[in-house]
């Protein structure tokens, strides 16, 4: 965050405690509104957070990923978990620091936000829900910019591409819970992690809100 990732730098730290959190800079472009058709890679334009609240938000996000998501190797090795965690970290960084990403769709992007765009995006999500997927990849499959994609989802579905992807994965988790043999040793946590839900409590709450019952009850009645 103190220097462009492709340039060397040197510094001196005196009497300090710090944690180093690293991420692929390309992730910033994948989760930002600029997307693959933007004006170049997304860059941070300052190393100070927007506010003390933003700094706390980033700190809490890093602690959560470190202590609850990546601490368990069995969970951290799940491809969807790793992808979701990386995208969450990148999105939090963009929400914390000033950067070059644009957030509002331009005129051409609004014109691209048509139902046909949405159909292509929905088909791609349905076909790739079991794989790590970024907003940029969904936009590329729909042949539009990320801004146009986000505008299409907001305009026609009242949601975001990643929120829709999460709902699709929840539906797949529900199907697996229904189909699982309760005597076979399969657990709710295993099925949740398979579909990218790393926090069992939040998965249970989201599942209960959607299906009006606890996931362990669905598994037991399967």
């Amino acid at each position: 965050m103190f220097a462009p990732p492709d340039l060397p730098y040197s510094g001196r730290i005196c009497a300090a405690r710090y944690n180093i959190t690293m991420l692929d800079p390309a992730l910033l472009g994948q989760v930002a509104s600029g997307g693959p058709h933007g004006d170049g890679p997304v860059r941070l334009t300052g190393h100070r957070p927007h506010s003390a609240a933003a700094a706390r938000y980033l700190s809490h996000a890093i602690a959560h990923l470190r202590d609850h998501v990546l601490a368990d190797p069995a969970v951290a090795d799940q491809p969807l978990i790793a992808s979701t965690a990386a995208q969450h970290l990148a999105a939090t960084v963009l929400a914390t620091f000033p950067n070059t990403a644009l957030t509002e769709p331009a005129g051409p992007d609004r014109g691209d936000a048509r139902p046909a765009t949405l159909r292509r995006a929905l088909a791609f999500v349905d076909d790739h829900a079991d794989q790590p997927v970024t907003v940029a990849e969904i936009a590329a499959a729909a042949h539009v910019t990320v801004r146009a994609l986000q505008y299409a989802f907001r305009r026609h579905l009242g949601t975001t591409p990643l929120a829709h992807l999460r709902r699709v994965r929840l539906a797949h988790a529900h199907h697996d819970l229904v189909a699982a043999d309760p005597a076979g040793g399969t657990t709710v946590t295993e099925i949740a992690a398979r579909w990218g839900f790393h926090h069992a409590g939040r998965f249970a709450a989201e599942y209960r809100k959607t299906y009006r019952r606890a996931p362990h009850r669905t598994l037991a009645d399967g």
Side-chain angles (χ1 to χ4, degrees), residues 48-69:
R48 292 184 180 275
H50 293 298
S51 64
R56 288 193 298 270
Y57 177 68
L58 176 63
S59 178
H60 292 161
I62 291 173
H64 172 72
L65 293 176
R66 180 192 64 215
D67 299 338
H68 300 287
V69 180

Side-chain angles (χ1 to χ4, degrees), residues 138-159:
I138 301 173
H143 311 304
V144 295
T145 67
V146 174
R147 288 193 296 274
L149 179 76
Q150 292 173 329
Y151 183 69
F153 270 80
R154 187 167 66 245
R155 178 182 178 184
H156 297 291
L157 298 179
T159 187

Side-chain angles (χ1 to χ4, degrees), residues 117-130:
T117 295
L118 198 60
R119 287 194 295 271
R120 289 192 295 267
L122 294 176
F124 180 84
V125 168
D126 288 340
D127 292 341
H128 297 81
D130 61 336

Side-chain angles (χ1 to χ4, degrees), residues 91-108:
T92 304
V93 167
L94 289 177
T96 303
F97 296 95
N99 58 79
T100 60
L102 300 176
T103 57
E104 288 301 318

Side-chain angles (χ1 to χ4, degrees), residues 183-194:
T186 301
T187 67
V188 171
T189 299
E190 290 173 356
I191 292 177
R194 182 186 307 160

Side-chain angles (χ1 to χ4, degrees), residues 3-110:
D6 54 342
L7 297 178
Y9 69 94
S10 61
R12 182 180 181 187
I13 300 175
C14 302
R17 294 180 60 194
Y18 56 91
N19 292 314
I20 296 177
T21 303
M22 302 179 68
L23 74 159
D24 184 349
L27 280 171
L28 300 178
Q30 292 174 14
V31 304
S33 297
H37 306 295
D39 297 324
V42 175
R43 299 286 195 187
L44 302 182
T45 57
H47 66 270
R48 292 184 180 275
H50 293 298
S51 64
R56 288 193 298 270
Y57 177 68
L58 176 63
S59 178
H60 292 161
I62 291 173
H64 172 72
L65 293 176
R66 180 192 64 215
D67 299 338
H68 300 287
V69 180
L70 305 179
D72 184 348
V75 174
D77 287 344
Q78 295 283 343
L80 293 186
I81 296 292
S83 172
T84 301
Q87 291 181 54
H88 177 63
L89 177 60
T92 304
V93 167
L94 289 177
T96 303
F97 296 95
N99 58 79
T100 60
L102 300 176
T103 57
E104 288 301 318
D109 295 321
R110 291 177 182 271

